[in-house]
Amino acid sequence: MNRATGGVYDEGYPSGVSSEQTPITEETTGPRPRRLAYAALLAALEGLALAVGGVSILVLGLMGHPDDRQQAVTGGITLVVLALLPLIAARGLFALRSWSRGPAVITQLLALPVAYNLLQADSMAIPAGIALAVVAVASLVLLVNPETTRALGIRGPGNPGNLEK
């Protein structure tokens, strides 16, 4: 017997659970907030920068005369693979997918120590460190904004949503 409906189980699983995916509500399909679009744009730019950096290191490692060819190739491939995380997160954010905020936040948290290390360098890396730090902090602010979390349909702990009492 189904406790929720007071009747017998409907089609589907024996427990009455539906095999249908969660329906998209009007709340999550509304207009995309600008903050969310900016967060997606920043994540995409970070992903593109990682991909371009990885490809350039890979090409220089294969065509140039690096000190250690194997290390250059491994570093380039690693950067290209790492570029997938912010690019996938950006795509999910742009499509209003709630799962995408986690990878986007992780990307920004990983970018902060990298920015710090770039700022410690005594070279041309300092402007890159400043830019990366500004982008990471701005992205984090945009991603934890209440407007963004509402648009993604993310509820906080202890907030079950619109349940009738």
Side-chain angles (χ1 to χ4, degrees):
M1 186 155 168
N2 187 336
R3 291 182 188 183
T5 61
V8 296
Y9 294 115
D10 296 329
E11 293 180 22
Y13 295 103
S15 63
V17 176
S18 171
S19 63
E20 294 181 20
Q21 291 185 0
T22 305
I24 297 174
T25 62
E26 178 63 30
E27 190 174 298
T28 60
T29 59
R32 182 179 304 102
R34 263 192 263 165
R35 290 181 178 111
L36 184 58
Y38 293 153
L41 178 66
L42 289 174
L45 288 174
E46 286 175 326
L48 288 173
L50 278 171
V52 167
V55 169
S56 66
I57 290 173
L58 188 60
V59 168
L60 289 174
L62 292 174
M63 302 298 186
H65 300 288
D67 293 336
D68 186 359
R69 185 176 304 255
Q70 183 178 1
Q71 186 177 9
V73 170
T74 303
I77 291 172
T78 302
L79 283 179
V80 170
V81 171
L82 284 175
L84 293 175
L85 183 65
L87 290 173
I88 290 170
R91 183 173 183 227
L93 288 170
F94 197 71
L96 298 175
R97 303 286 188 242
S98 62
W99 59 262
S100 62
R101 190 175 84 154
V105 168
I106 289 169
T107 300
Q108 304 319 314
L109 292 176
L110 291 173
L112 289 173
V114 173
Y116 178 78
N117 283 333
L118 290 172
L119 289 171
Q120 299 303 310
D122 190 27
S123 67
M124 296 292 290
I126 293 174
I130 292 170
L132 182 59
V134 167
V135 168
V137 170
S139 295
L140 283 171
V141 168
L142 292 170
L143 289 167
V144 298
N145 186 284
E147 185 179 336
T148 301
T149 55
R150 261 191 313 277
L152 293 173
I154 298 172
R155 298 184 306 256
N159 183 5
N162 296 333
L163 294 180
E164 295 181 23
K165 296 180 182 178

